[in-house]
Amino acid sequence: MSYDARIDELKLELPPAPKPMGVYKPIVQVGNMVYLSGHGPLKSDKTLITGRLGLDMDVEVGYDAARQTGLGILATLREHLGSLDKVSRLVKLLGLVRCTESFDAQPAVINGCSELFRDVFGEDAGVAARSALGTNALPGGIAVEIEAIFEIKE
């Protein structure tokens, strides 16, 4: 099954591909690799999911924010490539979680994005090397920021 068809089968709604909020490109292609800048949890209504894990958000809400961030990454990929079917595999994810000093469930939060990519691209192509880190601040108070590297078919 194609990845684009899988999006439809899973009844996923991709938000608009986010536009840069500074001097950077949302995606850069070098040969058969695409590097996605950090994406935040942008919803379809163009609002962001904000908050701090361990203070005013729990793991479940953080997981949903990471999943929403993954949907934004997919929107950027589709806009750039024309189709998600050009993806060979996810190579690397870096997830940042805005959290309190004592919060230590960053991997459980970033699973929201990781599990989404596994569901869309499959176990082999959709599960990557990954880092999940906590931080005290993210732009605009967003709950998570995630960047990704994908290998694509040329």
Side-chain angles (χ1 to χ4, degrees):
M1 171 181 290
S2 88
Y3 299 141
D4 287 318
R6 188 85 177 121
I7 294 285
D8 294 336
E9 179 186 301
L10 294 169
K11 296 179 177 36
L12 299 174
E13 179 185 347
L14 300 185
K19 303 299 177 212
M21 304 281 291
V23 183
Y24 66 91
K25 295 182 180 197
I27 186 169
V28 172
Q29 182 174 341
V30 179
N32 68 334
M33 302 295 287
V34 290
Y35 300 82
L36 286 102
S37 294
H39 281 58
L42 178 67
K43 298 189 288 186
S44 292
D45 66 5
K46 297 188 180 180
T47 61
L48 293 164
I49 299 171
T50 60
R52 183 181 304 274
L53 278 291
L55 180 65
D56 56 2
M57 299 178 84
D58 61 17
V59 171
E60 183 177 328
V61 175
Y63 176 99
D64 291 342
R67 180 177 172 83
Q68 188 63 40
T69 302
L71 292 170
I73 289 171
L74 293 175
T76 296
L77 266 175
R78 183 185 270 176
E79 182 176 276
H80 178 80
L81 299 173
S83 169
L84 294 176
D85 295 335
K86 293 183 180 176
V87 170
S88 291
R89 72 162 293 111
L90 174 63
V91 176
K92 173 78 169 141
L93 275 182
L94 170 62
L96 299 168
V97 178
R98 182 171 173 250
C99 59
T100 62
E101 187 175 312
S102 61
F103 184 83
D104 65 359
Q106 292 85 359
V109 169
I110 299 304
N111 277 346
C113 182
S114 295
E115 292 175 9
L116 170 68
F117 289 169
R118 180 203 59 208
D119 293 347
V120 170
F121 299 112
E123 192 74 35
D124 290 333
V127 178
R130 185 184 88 172
S131 300
L133 306 170
T135 185
N136 66 336
L138 286 172
I142 58 176
V144 299
E145 182 173 336
I146 301 173
E147 62 180 51
I149 302 170
F150 287 85
E151 179 184 24
I152 60 168
K153 301 167 188 160
E154 289 193 271

